[in-house]
Amino acid sequence: MELRKTARKALKFGSLHLLFIAVCFIALVPIIYALAISFSGTTNLTGGIFAITDFTFDNYLHIFTELDFGTWLGNSLILSIATVLVTVIPSAFAAYAFATMSFRGKRVLLFLLLILNAFPQVLTMTALFALLRNTHLLNTRIALILVYSGSNSIFAFFNLKGYFASIPSSISEAATIDGATRPEILFKVVLPLARPAIIVTSILVFINCWNEYLFASTFLTGKDLYTLASGLYALQSNNLARNWPQFAAASLFISLPVLIVFFLMQRYMVSGLTAGGVKE
Amino acid sequence: MKGTARNERKRRYENSAYFYVAAILLLVALIVVFPIGYTVYISLTNMNLYHWFDFEFIGIGNYIRAFSQANSEFLSSLGLTILWTIANMVLITLVSLVLAVLLNVKGFKGRNVYKTLLMFPWAVPSYVSILLWRIGIFNGEFGLLGDIARALGSDSFYILQSYWGAFFASLLVNVWLSYPFTMTMMDGALQSIDQSLYEAARLDGAGFWRTTFNVSLPEIVPIVAPSLLMTAFMQFKQFDVVYLLTLQKGAQTGAGLQTIITYAHTTAFESNNYGLSSAISTIIFMLIALLFSRFAYREAKEGRN
């Protein structure tokens, strides 16, 4: 009797394991496939994965020697860091005001920001293009930093507002009784307490910029201004037929930092996303 | 008496708040609101490839064109977007629910390993994985599908070139991209269920299925409903999947698959008809504002403090 129970249990969990192994394999197929191809010594792979003969690390080396990978990496870093600064500072100020203060027009502004946050920015691309052209900002980094900051600031604002509101008001009140002014409370009490939320929000904004290809490839067309995302995008649209193993290597290399950050922050991602109500 | 009333108002309304919100409002006004306004303005002009600078005001002509029979593409893309949203939501909900329930089978040891592996589609930058799907799997010459087709003795297989082929390929990729988020939400909700409910169900002699349908599901529905609603909205405005798989500039597969958002984009950046494109964008803005205002109103009211 005991034995039959154990056997039934083993069968149950055994089949669950088999099922999950199959599902995980299916879910990972594109990544496994790209990984396999990225080590292939044969370029121009008609015949796909079955045509891999040589094993080589050359594709990973070549993304640095044959492509302008270093320049792309630098551009991605400049744009993403600048956007984080231009986005998170105003968002943190505004989130503080909305979370802790009362003022006329607050509800209307909140309503408008929620609606604006729902609009896909890609639909204003024509208007942005015309505006940037008229202000002679096309093909400058400032243009892209501004465009990214506009959409990301609302996202960062809602992320931070949720967190600021969760800080007990008694802490600020105690500081007020001690004679602290508003700015002092913000800089000495609220911001230090909110450090985890600010870090997580900054990283999310950073990743959003790191992963953006469409505006980057439309507004920055000079080759020396390519980011990793727009460079990779250009690579597959121009150069791909010649070298798909190199594209696979570049793809995986670009994804690696994002993957690491994602799994480090997995817990925060989920709570941050539900609090902000947005997945960019 | 009068003084306290004034103090009361002063306490409730703080003018310094405007100083804190000024920077973000300026940014949003400049980069988000102004371009939307400009889009509405362009939608009333004949701006296109031949009239980049010398465009004229033409009234609601572009709107009439968007809805006219001759240009049925907008209406068919609207229909496709609705079908796309429904199909995605059904599949995403089913896949993530089944996975989340199975991950939570009592006593199952592999839970954390499998959960982490199943998160990968979410963790990889989506434009990268969409391109990997396009080239690695769907490409007829050096993709996996082509390999399989050839191994089975048929010709190379170009799934992205037909309308429904492209639709199902895009659907597959989109479900693949989206299920980790909903699965995580459902898993979290399942974890939060009070264990005593399961004990009680077990004492009543309920098996796995009855427990799932009578305990787990009713408990998680209210928790995951908001994120499902949000996911549905994400599918409605999904752009990257259809665009990167079939519509990239210079690399269109000819499937003719268009959601309203890709249609607005290609009308501007392929056909260079900026006036018509802006009219479509404006219609989408109004749709979103209509769908979203109830939710936003409720949120704004609750978010009072």
Side-chain angles (χ1 to χ4, degrees):
Chain A
M1 197 63 195
E2 213 27 56
L3 200 70
R4 247 181 69 189
K5 217 174 153 189
T6 327
R8 253 185 58 190
K9 240 187 173 156
L11 187 70
K12 181 176 121 187
F13 287 124
S15 45
L16 255 184
H17 277 292
L18 274 182
L19 182 83
F20 268 107
I21 290 168
V23 169
C24 289
F25 181 74
I26 295 170
L28 294 172
V29 151
I31 300 161
I32 297 169
Y33 191 77
L35 196 65
I37 295 282
S38 73
F39 290 115
S40 159
T42 356
T43 54
N44 208 357
L45 278 172
T46 32
I49 201 166
F50 306 113
I52 298 175
T53 46
D54 318 310
F55 178 89
T56 173
F57 283 104
D58 284 357
N59 296 313
Y60 286 90
L61 295 176
H62 287 166
I63 53 180
F64 285 97
T65 54
E66 288 178 12
L67 306 172
D68 255 347
F69 221 70
T71 315
W72 300 354
L73 183 70
N75 287 335
S76 279
L77 283 173
I78 295 172
L79 285 175
S80 305
I81 292 172
T83 304
V84 167
L85 291 176
V86 177
T87 302
V88 175
I89 295 170
S91 307
F93 277 124
Y96 173 65
F98 273 91
T100 63
M101 301 159 87
S102 298
F103 52 93
R104 251 176 250 279
K106 182 174 164 181
R107 261 203 272 179
V108 177
L109 286 175
L110 208 54
F111 174 77
L112 287 176
L113 286 173
L114 278 162
I115 293 272
L116 289 173
N117 195 33
F119 286 167
Q121 198 181 21
V122 59
L123 291 180
T124 54
M125 213 159 162
T126 307
L128 282 167
F129 191 86
L131 290 170
L132 294 172
R133 191 201 53 212
N134 293 345
T135 48
H136 305 286
L137 283 171
L138 273 184
N139 272 319
T140 65
R141 291 202 185 91
I142 295 173
L144 213 56
I145 293 168
L146 283 174
V147 169
Y148 288 168
S149 303
S151 52
N152 278 298
S153 60
I154 308 184
F155 163 75
F157 164 76
F158 280 112
N159 241 356
L160 291 172
K161 183 172 108 36
Y163 196 88
F164 285 3
S166 74
I167 297 174
S169 57
S170 58
I171 298 178
S172 307
E173 277 159 19
T176 316
I177 292 166
D178 287 346
T181 59
R182 273 278 176 206
E184 276 172 346
I185 294 173
L186 173 62
F187 284 102
K188 293 190 181 148
V189 181
V190 176
L191 287 183
L193 280 174
R195 201 160 54 196
I198 290 173
I199 293 172
V200 170
T201 305
S202 301
I203 293 175
L204 290 174
V205 170
F206 187 93
I207 292 179
N208 282 344
C209 303
W210 190 263
N211 288 348
E212 205 290 320
Y213 68 95
L214 193 64
F215 283 91
S217 55
T218 313
F219 293 166
L220 295 182
T221 47
K223 273 208 157 93
D224 52 330
L225 289 175
Y226 275 175
T227 63
L228 287 173
S230 64
L232 189 74
Y233 179 67
L235 182 69
Q236 61 90 37
S237 58
N238 312 324
N239 205 10
L240 159 82
R242 260 176 286 161
N243 207 337
W244 146 229
Q246 197 178 63
F247 173 77
S251 301
L252 294 171
F253 192 87
I254 292 172
S255 307
L256 195 65
V258 181
L259 271 175
I260 293 170
V261 170
F262 180 91
F263 283 108
L264 284 178
M265 316 201 323
Q266 192 181 321
R267 207 174 275 272
Y268 300 103
M269 300 273 284
V270 175
S271 60
L273 288 167
T274 41
V278 186
K279 188 196 175 201
E280 281 278 27
Chain B
M1 195 66 194
K2 217 174 166 184
T4 47
R6 198 159 64 217
N7 276 341
E8 174 64 17
R9 190 158 345 122
K10 213 174 146 197
R11 202 180 61 76
R12 281 184 52 220
Y13 291 117
E14 296 178 61
N15 286 328
S16 66
Y18 299 111
F19 166 76
Y20 291 100
V21 300
I24 201 175
L25 291 186
L26 185 71
L27 199 62
V28 169
L30 210 67
I31 309 297
V32 183
V33 178
F34 189 57
I36 291 173
Y38 199 56
T39 303
V40 176
Y41 171 70
I42 297 173
S43 75
L44 301 170
T45 70
N46 67 345
M47 190 197 274
N48 59 36
L49 191 58
Y50 311 103
H51 301 277
W52 236 132
F53 295 103
D54 60 340
F55 53 85
E56 293 164 0
F57 190 79
I58 58 161
I60 58 165
N62 287 317
Y63 292 88
I64 295 171
R65 222 183 121 187
F67 284 109
S68 71
Q69 281 296 324
N71 180 20
S72 62
E73 228 179 325
F74 170 66
L75 290 176
S76 66
S77 69
L78 187 61
L80 183 85
T81 308
I82 294 166
L83 177 68
W84 163 261
T85 308
I86 294 170
N88 268 297
M89 283 319 290
V90 169
L91 286 176
I92 292 168
T93 310
L94 268 179
V95 168
S96 23
L97 184 65
V98 169
L99 290 175
V101 167
L102 290 179
L103 280 173
N104 280 283
V105 168
K106 215 176 158 206
F108 184 46
K109 289 262 164 40
R111 181 186 142 75
N112 287 328
V113 178
Y114 294 128
K115 203 177 134 193
T116 307
L117 287 175
L118 289 171
M119 298 280 269
F120 265 81
W122 184 9
V124 178
S126 58
Y127 78 98
V128 170
S129 41
I130 297 167
L131 293 177
L132 288 178
W133 273 97
R134 176 187 164 114
I135 302 156
I137 310 291
F138 298 137
N139 186 294
E141 275 146 55
F142 32 77
L144 193 60
L145 272 188
D147 294 345
I148 293 172
R150 274 188 300 274
L152 294 174
S154 109
D155 280 341
S156 288
F157 177 51
Y158 297 89
I159 188 172
L160 295 177
Q161 289 181 357
S162 73
Y163 187 87
W164 290 110
F167 178 80
F168 285 113
S170 304
L171 187 64
L172 171 67
V173 173
N174 197 58
V175 172
W176 182 86
L177 284 170
S178 312
Y179 83 81
F181 173 68
T182 37
M183 181 190 78
T184 310
M185 292 296 160
M186 289 174 180
D187 178 60
L190 285 169
Q191 293 273 305
S192 73
I193 297 176
D194 192 348
Q195 285 302 314
S196 63
L197 287 176
Y198 287 116
E199 292 294 324
R202 211 165 46 95
L203 287 179
D204 286 346
F208 172 75
W209 294 108
R210 265 189 60 198
T211 321
T212 302
F213 281 101
N214 294 341
V215 181
S216 304
L217 283 185
E219 286 289 313
I220 68 167
V221 166
I223 307 176
V224 297
S227 37
L228 281 182
L229 208 65
M230 195 179 103
T231 310
F233 184 63
M234 299 296 306
Q235 311 322 316
F236 177 76
K237 60 175 194 173
Q238 168 57 245
F239 172 82
D240 290 337
V241 174
V242 173
Y243 179 76
L244 287 177
L245 285 183
T246 67
L247 290 167
Q248 279 180 52
K249 204 163 184 165
Q252 294 93 335
T253 63
L257 190 70
Q258 297 271 19
T259 67
I260 41 174
I261 307 242
T262 64
Y263 180 58
H265 184 78
T266 47
T267 306
F269 288 86
E270 291 292 329
S271 326
N272 298 307
N273 196 335
Y274 303 104
L276 179 60
S277 166
S278 297
I280 295 160
S281 299
T282 307
I283 297 168
I284 300 173
F285 285 148
M286 291 196 283
L287 265 178
I288 290 176
L290 210 70
L291 287 172
F292 219 68
S293 55
R294 242 181 73 120
F295 163 79
Y297 181 73
R298 212 180 51 217
E299 283 285 300
K301 214 170 162 185
E302 278 170 13
R304 240 167 74 109
N305 246 331

